[in-house]
């Protein structure tokens, strides 16, 4: 039981790699202009230079980029809170092992 709980928590973490790879491929397609939006050129996802910021009047045509950003952030938070869940589970399992 000590190792079974750990395996149950660890298995979804391997599936998350596919999620972030798909999100990053979509983002890279916009950056390399394979997918072109109907507005100004796409430069950076994060910048403090106003000239490089994405200027949009409407979210039409941005659905795919928004989805890619969502799954990238979902991966990030899943890894962070998954690691915290592993630590909590290991602590409880270590205390209760007899």
């Amino acid at each position: 039981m000590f190792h079974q709980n750990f395996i149950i928590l660890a298995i979804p973490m391997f599936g998350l790699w596919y999620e972030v790879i798909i999100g990053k491929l979509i983002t890279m397609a916009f950056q390399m202009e394979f997918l072109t939006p109907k507005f100004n050129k796409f430069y950076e996802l994060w910048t403090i230079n106003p000239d490089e910021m994405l200027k949009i009047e409407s979210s039409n045509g941005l659905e795919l980029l928004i989805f890619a950003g969502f799954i990238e952030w979902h991966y990030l938070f899943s890894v962070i809170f998954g690691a915290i869940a592993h630590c909590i589970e290991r602590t409880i399992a270590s205390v209760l092992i007899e």
Side-chain angles (χ1 to χ4, degrees):
M1 190 68 163
F2 184 75
H3 295 294
Q4 184 178 3
N5 290 342
F6 180 75
I7 292 170
I8 290 170
L9 284 172
I11 287 174
M13 299 299 283
F14 292 108
L16 290 174
W17 282 101
Y18 297 107
E19 181 182 52
V20 76
I21 289 170
I22 291 169
K24 203 57 186 162
L25 286 174
I26 294 170
T27 305
M28 287 169 45
F30 275 95
Q31 288 173 329
M32 296 170 58
E33 300 177 1
F34 290 129
L35 298 174
T36 53
K38 299 172 185 165
F39 38 84
N40 65 328
K41 185 178 176 183
F42 180 77
Y43 291 98
E44 296 291 332
L45 289 178
W46 188 267
T47 181
I48 57 172
N49 184 353
D51 295 331
E52 293 182 354
M53 289 182 184
L54 187 62
K55 296 170 185 71
I56 58 169
E57 286 79 31
S58 160
S59 63
N60 292 339
L62 273 183
E63 294 85 4
L64 196 57
L65 188 60
I66 292 170
F67 175 70
F70 171 77
I71 60 176
E72 287 176 32
W73 280 100
H74 179 266
Y75 167 78
L76 175 72
F77 284 112
S78 296
V79 168
I80 291 170
F81 291 110
I84 291 170
H86 279 350
C87 292
I88 292 170
E89 190 276 332
R90 290 289 87 188
T91 302
I92 292 170
S94 296
V95 169
L96 297 178
I97 194 168
E98 291 181 8

